[in-house]
Amino acid sequence: MRKSMSKLFLLVAAAALVLTSLGTPAMSVYAEELDLEAESAILVDAETGKILYARDPDVALPPASMTKMMTEYLVWEAIENGDISWDTTTQISDYAYSISANGDFSGVGLTQQKDYTVKELYEAMAINSDNATTIALAELIAGSESEFVTLMNEKGEELGLQEYKFVNSTGLDNESLGDNYPEGTSPNDTNLLSSRAAAILATALVNDYPEALEISSIPSTEFDGQEIDNWNYMLDHDSVNLEQYYYEGVDGLKTGHTDLAGYAFTGTAERDGRRLITVVMKTSSTEKRFEETAKLLDYGFDQFETKELFPAGYQEEGEETIPVAKGKDKEVNIGINNAIQVPVKSGEEELYHLEYTLDEDKLNNNGELEAPVEADEVIGTVNVVYDGEEEDFGYISDEASEESYELVAMDSVEKANWFMLTLQSIGDFFVNMFQGAYNWVKGLF
């Protein structure tokens, strides 16, 4: 008996060692358990636009230097359009110089009557968050910061931002600009962004101009003979003091701080081909914004995996067909033309279904398609619906939620000739007549 117990003990111990060596599976963490110390925050899958976490994402708050993401976007766009190039040079205006010379705004220190290239100015803005170089770029592109602010707001509308207002190119409060605040704004104005708007802007920047990450990921560089540092502590800085904030895969994007805004950060990281976008706003310190960002990134990378939930050609059960009028066939198969991939929590793959929205312009008064119908003809849109217990945060925009999610006819249906249409009409007449008679007789009893 003692030998049997000893063998049992050894087996249990061996099993425990094996499990330990394999690692303990990560326990599921619920969104409400993150307990973020930020007034507003959001976590987004960059490819799909799916929101994995949100906390008051539509509250408009001062973004401080996160405003510069819009300036960066417009610089890249101007280069793409051929309006400027990286080698284009400009000099520093009195306004930009006054900001550069102000000790309250830590910056690179600019010199007047000297040519600076767009590349130099952009790097100082994107890496060191310099305000004066930002103004210089705005003036170069639009002629004045006032005109540039108009471009910023127009681009915000084009990108689908909501809860936003741009009043200057830098993110400084207008009262800090003295008499130089842009025309059309007030001396007490400040920029405003919700965390959702910041995430939409960041997603557009990294998706439309991924080269921007090559610059935002630089921990330090030289400008005008001096070394300038990136305020993003989550990069691989050559500093022992910042090692605790380093996060593998982080390559951007933009910090922000003013007394009014608190400490904010729009971050992005890529691991194993997955890119996440994070925003935290109004945290309490320089360090806290990175600590809270790390919580979001851990949650996104550890808890979610992008999976193909519905393959191309998938048909939702019970909604495989739709009736067709005046066709050789009375119905047509419908489904999705492209596979749908969604970031999902492990074990929740079965907690999703598709919801169809038919294009009413494609239907007659009886809710039928009218022949002819072409194979792969788009007849509506598809939304992915989550059936689990956790809150579904949706997508950062309507455009993101409907991207590639199209409902199509899977077969062709030719229009019936006049003879077949006549036979169908006769058949329908007698069917309706007999159905009416049956209902009448049934009513008698």
Side-chain angles (χ1 to χ4, degrees):
M1 178 70 177
R2 183 170 295 178
K3 287 184 178 180
S4 298
M5 291 296 293
S6 297
K7 288 182 179 179
L8 179 61
F9 174 79
L10 290 173
L11 287 171
V12 172
L17 286 172
V18 170
L19 288 173
T20 302
S21 65
L22 291 175
T24 304
M27 296 184 66
S28 182
V29 174
Y30 295 100
E32 60 267 22
E33 296 174 5
L34 287 179
D35 192 28
L36 286 186
E37 296 181 43
E39 189 163 321
S40 178
I42 199 168
L43 168 66
V44 177
D45 178 79
E47 181 178 0
T48 63
K50 185 74 178 70
I51 301 173
L52 309 183
Y53 173 88
R55 177 177 181 178
D56 292 330
D58 297 310
V59 176
L61 296 169
S65 281
M66 294 197 313
T67 297
K68 294 182 176 73
M69 290 190 295
M70 179 58 84
T71 303
E72 292 175 21
Y73 190 98
L74 291 173
V75 170
W76 283 99
E77 187 175 66
I79 292 173
E80 182 181 46
N81 293 338
D83 299 328
I84 59 174
S85 73
W86 290 117
D87 295 326
T88 300
T89 61
T90 188
Q91 294 192 352
I92 306 305
S93 67
D94 291 341
Y95 166 35
Y97 181 74
S98 70
I99 296 297
S100 181
N102 190 325
D104 293 335
F105 311 129
S106 57
V108 296
L110 296 175
T111 302
Q112 289 191 289
Q113 283 78 54
K114 176 179 178 178
D115 289 336
Y116 291 94
T117 66
V118 168
K119 189 171 189 293
E120 290 174 320
L121 297 174
Y122 183 94
E123 287 185 347
M125 171 180 66
I127 297 171
N128 194 241
S129 197
D130 185 81
N131 295 303
T133 54
T134 304
I135 295 169
L137 287 168
E139 292 174 334
L140 173 65
I141 291 172
S144 69
E145 188 179 28
S146 299
E147 292 299 321
F148 191 79
V149 167
T150 299
L151 296 180
M152 295 173 79
N153 285 294
E154 289 176 350
K155 182 58 65 175
E157 182 176 359
E158 181 184 323
L159 294 176
L161 306 191
Q162 297 180 8
E163 307 302 332
Y164 77 98
K165 179 176 71 171
F166 293 110
V167 300
N168 60 56
S169 63
T170 61
L172 293 170
D173 301 325
N174 266 6
E175 64 181 8
S176 300
L177 305 179
D179 294 332
N180 293 305
Y181 63 89
E183 293 180 12
T185 68
S186 75
N188 297 318
D189 258 344
T190 190
N191 295 291
L192 293 173
L193 277 180
S194 66
S195 59
R196 184 193 300 271
I200 293 173
L201 176 55
T203 301
L205 179 61
V206 301
N207 286 340
D208 294 348
Y209 303 109
E211 302 93 336
L213 295 170
E214 297 175 8
I215 298 176
S216 66
S217 62
I218 298 174
S220 63
T221 191
E222 280 198 4
F223 178 89
D224 215 10
Q226 61 180 312
E227 184 174 0
I228 58 173
D229 294 320
N230 199 317
W231 292 99
N232 180 359
Y233 290 0
M234 302 185 85
L235 299 174
D236 189 12
H237 287 269
D238 186 20
S239 170
V240 175
N241 296 330
L242 301 181
E243 283 182 354
Q244 59 182 313
Y245 304 109
Y246 169 71
Y247 195 98
E248 182 183 354
V250 167
D251 50 7
L253 194 55
K254 195 70 204 71
T255 58
H257 170 252
T258 63
D259 291 339
L260 184 62
Y263 296 84
F265 179 50
T266 298
T268 183
E270 184 176 46
R271 286 185 179 178
D272 299 323
R274 289 184 60 216
R275 177 168 294 282
L276 300 179
I277 303 286
T278 63
V279 181
V280 293
M281 300 186 73
K282 213 146 191 179
T283 67
S284 59
S285 68
T286 296
E287 297 77 18
K288 183 61 66 176
R289 60 186 170 189
F290 302 123
E291 293 168 357
E292 304 312 288
T293 296
K295 290 180 186 178
L296 288 172
L297 291 174
D298 283 345
Y299 179 67
F301 285 124
D302 294 347
Q303 300 294 317
F304 290 85
E305 183 178 352
T306 299
K307 294 189 176 182
E308 182 181 293
L309 294 184
F310 304 100
Y314 175 85
Q315 296 176 283
E316 187 70 14
E317 185 176 353
E319 298 184 69
E320 294 90 348
T321 63
I322 186 172
V324 177
K326 301 179 181 180
K328 288 186 176 181
D329 299 310
K330 289 195 172 184
E331 59 184 19
V332 64
N333 284 306
I334 59 176
I336 57 175
N337 58 345
N338 294 316
I340 295 179
Q341 294 186 332
V342 177
V344 298
K345 274 194 171 185
S346 178
E348 293 194 346
E349 294 85 350
E350 303 299 322
L351 299 180
Y352 293 84
H353 75 272
L354 297 183
E355 187 176 86
Y356 295 163
T357 301
L358 295 170
D359 183 351
E360 294 185 359
D361 292 337
K362 296 274 188 179
L363 306 177
N364 62 19
N365 292 333
N366 296 320
E368 304 167 312
L369 291 174
E370 290 210 4
V373 178
E374 299 292 333
D376 293 327
E377 180 180 339
V378 178
I379 61 171
T381 57
V382 174
N383 288 321
V384 180
V385 180
Y386 173 63
D387 301 316
E389 295 181 359
E390 284 198 74
E391 181 179 358
D392 184 5
F393 297 106
Y395 291 76
I396 53 173
S397 65
D398 292 338
E399 291 78 9
S401 68
E402 294 176 1
E403 184 179 0
S404 300
Y405 297 174
E406 295 178 333
L407 181 65
V408 301
M410 303 184 69
D411 308 301
S412 296
V413 178
E414 296 181 16
K415 188 172 184 177
N417 57 39
W418 68 268
F419 180 72
M420 292 299 299
L421 289 174
T422 301
L423 290 179
Q424 288 178 11
S425 297
I426 293 172
D428 291 340
F429 171 78
F430 282 108
V431 167
N432 291 334
M433 184 180 69
F434 283 120
Q435 184 66 47
Y438 171 78
N439 291 335
W440 180 76
V441 172
K442 184 179 179 182
L444 294 178
F445 297 96

